[in-house]
Amino acid sequence: MSRLSGNRAHKRKQQRLVMGLAGLFGLAIAGALLVLAIGEGANHFRTPADLTERPIEPGRSFRLGGLVAEGSVDKLGDSTITFRVTDGAAEQLVRFRGIVPDLFREGQGVIAEGVLDSAGLFVASNVLAKHDETYMPPEVAEALKKRGEWREDADGKLVPVSSAAPASSATPAEPGS
């Protein structure tokens, strides 16, 4: 009988080993999927210049951010508008059907969620803005600072490079600013 009880103990050890390995395999798969999902989310935001440099295939959802270009808002009726989003280096035409936030206007920071259609038009499903007159989406601010279009003034507010110099300064602006 001791031989039978020895076989049972051996089988239980094998079962525990198999269950442990299966659990580790499941955790590895879950971790890999999590890393993949985070990686895709990290590339979710684009500026118009990013689209020019690295085009995105039509139908893929992403967020487009920048400033609403001056003179670009066109109300088409039936709650549809078109506008251009700019980052200072490039522009992207956007169409949105719905109600835009109260502070949506030309010259303000905006993030639009949607997809590019086959003609290259960004069809937005959502337009986001913050209820603060000085707000600029962090991703947009960072992209504009990297491109040298905007910088922080003495008060820590973001301003265009062209208006960053103090008004009392008699020094001419540097070329390219």
Side-chain angles (χ1 to χ4, degrees):
M1 273 214 248
S2 66
R3 188 172 191 179
L4 287 175
S5 63
N7 284 339
R8 286 185 199 154
H10 184 65
K11 279 187 177 182
R12 278 188 250 139
K13 283 183 184 179
Q14 283 182 331
Q15 287 175 341
R16 281 191 297 236
L17 180 63
V18 168
M19 294 300 282
L21 290 175
L24 287 175
F25 181 73
L27 285 173
I29 295 292
L33 291 174
L34 182 64
V35 168
L36 183 64
I38 289 171
E40 287 178 4
N43 296 326
H44 193 67
F45 174 82
R46 299 284 191 270
T47 64
D50 290 338
L51 292 178
T52 303
E53 295 167 7
R54 294 175 284 144
I56 293 179
E57 66 274 1
R60 180 174 173 209
S61 180
F62 66 98
R63 289 189 290 169
L64 174 69
L67 302 173
V68 178
E70 296 291 334
S72 72
V73 177
D74 189 14
K75 296 179 182 183
L76 304 176
D78 75 341
S79 299
T80 301
I81 65 167
T82 61
F83 59 95
R84 289 187 323 272
V85 173
T86 183
D87 59 4
E91 291 187 348
Q92 174 63 50
L93 183 61
V94 177
R95 182 180 69 219
F96 175 66
R97 184 173 183 180
I99 299 172
V100 294
D102 290 339
L103 291 177
F104 174 86
R105 62 181 167 270
E106 296 170 356
Q108 292 293 316
V110 65
I111 293 181
E113 298 174 334
V115 298
L116 286 174
D117 68 8
S118 59
L121 173 69
F122 186 82
V123 181
S125 58
N126 197 15
V127 173
L128 308 171
K130 176 93 170 173
H131 294 285
D132 178 352
E133 204 167 273
T134 61
Y135 174 76
M136 181 174 301
E139 299 97 336
V140 173
E142 192 60 35
L144 290 172
K145 284 196 287 187
K146 281 182 183 176
R147 294 190 186 292
E149 301 288 331
W150 287 59
R151 72 170 183 85
E152 290 184 18
D153 67 5
D155 297 326
K157 293 181 180 177
L158 284 175
V159 294
V161 169
S162 60
S163 68
S168 62
S169 173
T171 307
E174 292 181 21
S177 55

